[in-house]
Amino acid sequence: MSAALPHDPSQLLTDTVALARAAAVDEAALDVGSAAAGEAVGEHLESGPEGDCASTHFFAATHAGYRGWRWAVTLACAGAGEPVTVSEVVLLPGPDALVAPSWVPWQERVRPGDLGVGDLLPTTPNDHRLVPGYVESDDPAVEEVAAEVGLGRRRVLSHAGRLEAVQRWQEGRHGPSAAMAKAAPGPCGTCGFFLPLAGSLRGSFGVCGNAYSPADGSVVAVEFGCGAHSDVAAEPGSPVQVAALVYDDGVDLAADLEQIGS
């Protein structure tokens, strides 16, 4: 597809809207058919230079599903006396176009709680949360267990990985800032159901062993707490609600009070 070129190439590239529109209609026909292609290319929006002898025209895309998109038709010529040709026709999103979100690799999309039954979540070889098992740990408890068993894990939690876990648990729903912890009668650190963790985290975290606690089986901070604390005692008193006593022996108390007052 081409058009005759006058003496001013730049002027032709600006004025050849009809040529650009025809190219966009031909491209749209491949998707929506020849009958609907004309309506799929809307009004001419703008044009801009692409160097000395090239220009791109933009037309509104009006077919369903492409709100805010534009047909971009690039025209070019080799110089004076040469025809103008269509270099490229593409659909491009405009400033307010509806587009898909930016691609995020799967390993960055996964969030805690996403893993389901049968799902596999491999760690990367350079995961900063892990270090090779043969590297001496800065956790004495880990070294003690490894020496007793005589076997080591291929990778163990690194110092950075441990710090991330501490921050996550401390700020989580079983940390000291949780609403339940603020209303609890006492902290987990003083509860008989509290099972301290081994190693360097022993003084800060443990596992709840109370079946009636909302944190049962979960890691809790020593400052966390709930209403199922082992030291909670039942208040003495009758378990039966006693209604206010009412005396009704048929005596007209109002009349008696009037007589006393007089």
Side-chain angles (χ1 to χ4, degrees), residues 244-253:
L245 297 178
V246 177
Y247 295 93
D248 184 7
D249 54 2
V251 178
D252 189 353
L253 297 179

Side-chain angles (χ1 to χ4, degrees), residues 18 25 50 53 66 79 82 84 109 122 125 140 165 170 196-197 215 233 240 250:
V25 170
E50 300 286 351
C53 292
Y66 288 87
E82 298 295 332
V84 174
R109 298 197 305 269
Q170 194 77 2
L197 294 182
V240 179

